[in-house]
Amino acid sequence: NVIGGFTALFFVFAKISSPVAASPTGAAHGEIQEHSVVLPERHLTIDNQSTQDELAFRILEGEKTFLNFGISHTKEMHMIVVRNDLRHFSHLHPEKDWSGTWRVPFFPPAGGTYWIFLDFVDTKGANYVIRLERTYLIDKGPEGIVKNTRGVKEIDGFRVQMKPLLSPTEATFTYTVTDREDRPVELEEYLGATGHSILLSPSGNLIHTHAEERVPFFQTRIPEEKFYRIFTQFQIQG
């Protein structure tokens, strides 16, 4: 099982509104801090039930458990977990139990403050992104944002190349994947798409976009930031 993770740095110039508000400070060990967020139609809140090695939460609408989830790329819930210096990345899929509580095992590879993005749609197709925050008081290891501008990655014998095309209003990122003999690699469907791309800025702006074409390209509008780090996932040979 080969999942290609690709990170790069690019400058963009578009400006649109972001659904994620500014970060609060002072999250304690083991505590999840909820961020205010602009949501279509609804105001949803989080009932946190997490433990040291599991993320667990209910989504509430008023005092009732919110259960009107739709399916987005084969899943009801996508969870993006990234340390706030963009060094550590996980794309998880919690499972909902009988009480409406979402659960997924998670313990980070290094300490620090992590952003936890809950990305889902309702039964009408409206998209929601809620950002939570949790601090783990263990060894942090290397810290600071890595500004890697290379357009090529070597991953498990595969060569992943990404070419950006930027305009004042949107960005397109086109990927080619080849093997050791420089032959094109057939990408398989992964969670209902040829590829998944997560764009994150140091201020916490998140964009989750997908490619459907066999030569994958991702096109998106981007809020104005100095740079984004890009995590892109493909599936090759199962």
Side-chain angles (χ1 to χ4, degrees):
N1 184 38
V2 177
I3 299 295
F6 176 77
T7 64
L9 160 69
F10 294 95
F11 289 85
V12 295
F13 306 97
K15 186 175 183 180
I16 61 175
S17 61
S18 166
V20 179
S23 303
T25 59
H29 171 57
E31 176 186 357
I32 285 187
Q33 197 79 21
E34 184 181 349
H35 291 238
S36 60
V37 60
V38 177
L39 297 172
E41 302 180 6
R42 296 184 167 99
H43 177 66
L44 305 180
T45 58
I46 300 298
D47 173 26
N48 171 39
Q49 302 175 26
S50 297
T51 61
Q52 180 69 12
D53 56 1
E54 179 185 63
L55 296 174
F57 56 90
R58 282 191 309 146
I59 298 177
L60 303 178
E61 184 173 20
E63 297 181 355
K64 295 183 178 180
T65 302
F66 179 77
L67 297 173
N68 296 323
F69 295 97
I71 302 295
S72 173
H73 287 89
T74 76
K75 300 292 183 179
E76 285 189 314
M77 178 68 66
H78 295 266
M79 176 186 283
I80 307 300
V81 184
V82 183
R83 199 169 76 173
N84 65 357
D85 62 359
L86 310 184
R87 274 184 175 263
H88 300 283
F89 167 85
S90 296
H91 182 172
L92 308 175
H93 298 102
E95 296 292 336
K96 185 168 80 277
D97 68 15
W98 63 270
S99 70
T101 300
W102 296 90
R103 300 181 183 276
V104 65
F106 179 76
F107 192 79
T113 298
Y114 283 76
W115 293 328
I116 302 161
F117 294 90
L118 312 180
D119 185 356
F120 59 95
V121 299
D122 64 18
T123 52
K124 295 181 179 180
N127 183 239
Y128 298 78
V129 176
I130 300 176
R131 193 179 96 196
L132 314 174
E133 186 175 285
R134 190 175 194 183
T135 299
Y136 293 85
L137 299 180
I138 58 177
D139 180 40
K140 292 183 179 181
E143 296 183 79
I145 294 170
V146 178
K147 297 182 178 181
N148 177 5
T149 60
R150 292 179 300 150
V152 177
K153 284 279 191 178
E154 300 288 342
I155 305 168
D156 295 331
F158 297 97
R159 186 174 187 266
V160 183
Q161 184 172 12
M162 189 267 272
K163 294 183 179 180
L165 177 63
L166 304 177
S167 79
T169 59
E170 64 185 13
T172 301
F173 306 98
T174 302
Y175 290 80
T176 56
V177 184
T178 54
D179 63 15
R180 287 186 174 91
E181 283 73 42
D182 202 31
R183 296 172 300 193
V185 171
E186 181 73 14
L187 299 176
E188 300 162 358
E189 184 176 283
Y190 174 56
L191 296 174
T194 304
H196 296 251
S197 197
I198 306 295
L199 288 75
L200 270 166
S201 74
S203 66
N205 282 323
L206 176 139
I207 299 167
H208 185 175
T209 186
H210 305 91
E212 310 297 340
E213 303 296 328
R214 285 301 164 192
V215 177
F217 68 92
F218 301 83
Q219 190 171 59
T220 186
R221 290 174 60 86
I222 303 180
E224 184 178 7
E225 297 277 359
K226 289 186 176 180
F227 66 89
Y228 278 77
R229 196 159 197 189
I230 304 174
F231 303 88
T232 299
Q233 297 177 289
F234 303 115
Q235 180 166 295
I236 302 169
Q237 298 173 4

